Amino acid sequence: MLVISLILFSVLSYMMYYRYFPVRTKQWSSLEVTSRHVVVDVRDYQDSSKEDYDNIIAIPCGYIGRHSHDIPNGPIVVMGSNLIECNVGVRQLKRLGFQVKGYIIVESDKKCKEYLSLG
């Protein structure tokens, strides 16, 4: 019984760490993102933008592992609607070997074109 309790506690602790413990990446403002950065929008498809930007890719957190080959090399900035979404996205991308520079938290109803000026 003690072993099962320890295993259950370990799994729950890891899940809490993975979602809620802050990542070692700084939060950026929209003004810091330039055209040389690759922005990965990890919001749901309903919330993400489908604009015509070459360096903004909409891949929700659940699909990052499956579609990681679509992400170009370069400094990555993760865009999410809350801190949990950004934490999970940053952790997944770093685990896959990408160079994540930071994250941006935007309101879920804002489009990338309204928020970022990539010029």
Side-chain angles (χ1 to χ4, degrees), residues 40 42 59-68 71 88-89 92-93 96:
V40 178
V42 297
I59 303 176
C61 290
Y63 297 95
I64 288 176
R66 212 175 309 168
H67 297 285
S68 63
I71 302 172
V88 172
Q92 287 179 348
L93 290 168
L96 292 170

Side-chain angles (χ1 to χ4, degrees), residues 18-38:
Y18 189 80
R19 289 188 68 144
Y20 298 108
F21 195 78
V23 292
R24 293 183 187 206
T25 305
K26 74 173 199 155
Q27 183 174 356
W28 285 24
S29 73
S30 62
L31 302 173
E32 294 177 277
V33 180
T34 63
S35 59
R36 68 179 186 88
H37 294 104
V38 177

Side-chain angles (χ1 to χ4, degrees), residues 20-105:
Y20 298 108
F21 195 78
V23 292
R24 293 183 187 206
T25 305
K26 74 173 199 155
Q27 183 174 356
W28 285 24
S29 73
S30 62
L31 302 173
E32 294 177 277
V33 180
T34 63
S35 59
R36 68 179 186 88
H37 294 104
V38 177
V39 178
V40 178
D41 192 349
V42 297
R43 298 178 291 172
D44 290 333
Y45 282 126
Q46 294 89 350
D47 297 333
S48 67
S49 176
K50 304 219 176 13
E51 304 294 332
D52 292 331
Y53 284 125
D54 291 334
N55 51 349
I56 295 179
I57 299 169
I59 303 176
C61 290
Y63 297 95
I64 288 176
R66 212 175 309 168
H67 297 285
S68 63
H69 61 277
D70 294 336
I71 302 172
N73 290 333
I76 292 178
V77 177
V78 173
M79 176 185 284
S81 59
N82 57 44
L83 186 60
I84 295 171
E85 216 169 42
C86 291
N87 279 345
V88 172
V90 168
R91 288 186 201 285
Q92 287 179 348
L93 290 168
K94 282 187 173 184
R95 187 180 322 134
L96 292 170
F98 289 100
Q99 177 188 9
V100 180
K101 292 293 185 181
Y103 62 91
I104 301 173
I105 297 176

